[in-house]
Amino acid sequence: MNTYEAYKNKAINLSAFGLDRCGNDYTYFCTPVGADIFAAPGVDGIHYCTIKALGEIVFAVEPMGYAGRHAFPVAENFEDFLRLLMACGHEAYIEQAHAWSREQYDNFEKENGIIDVSDDVLYNK
């Protein structure tokens, strides 16, 4: 079983990173056709997905984002997405960083800090 399948089978919990599970019924006007939606923070319609036709690339989808740029790649695959979450500590870094200057990113980090998530939290132990 690969990591994405383990997540789909509920062996991995992303709630410590601000993400809840969701499925393909969590769609918006800007959700890419063929999206396999797997998680959302529960605000502003933001969600994360892969797109079958594009392989394992993970996309963030922002219905409230910039016109014409509602969906954008954030990781080459699910494992890299998990690495980003663990390095950043919260999904907001991944979803918003493309629109931030370095100063804005640093300010967000100062205000929010990075959490330390143990394997027990990540793997539902």
Side-chain angles (χ1 to χ4, degrees), residues 39-86:
V43 296
D44 294 337
I46 298 163
H47 51 287
Y48 293 89
C49 65
T50 59
I51 302 170
K52 187 174 183 177
L54 298 175
E56 298 180 22
I57 300 170
V58 174
F59 290 82
V61 180
E62 286 183 328
M64 306 285 283
Y66 298 106
R69 184 152 162 79
H70 296 286
F72 49 91
V74 295
E76 287 187 28
N77 54 50
F78 189 72
E79 290 83 5
D80 283 350
F81 180 71
L82 292 179
R83 288 182 188 102
L84 279 171
L85 283 174
M86 288 187 281

Side-chain angles (χ1 to χ4, degrees), residues 14 25 29 64 89 93 96:
L14 300 180
D25 56 340
F29 70 95
M64 306 285 283
Y93 287 92
Q96 295 179 24

Side-chain angles (χ1 to χ4, degrees), residues 2 18 31 40 66 87:
N2 69 31
T31 301
Y66 298 106

Side-chain angles (χ1 to χ4, degrees), residues 15-18 85-90 93 112-118 121:
S15 62
F17 302 104
L85 283 174
M86 288 187 281
C88 295
H90 198 277
Y93 287 92
N112 296 284
I114 292 178
I115 60 170
D116 183 21
V117 177
S118 70
V121 171

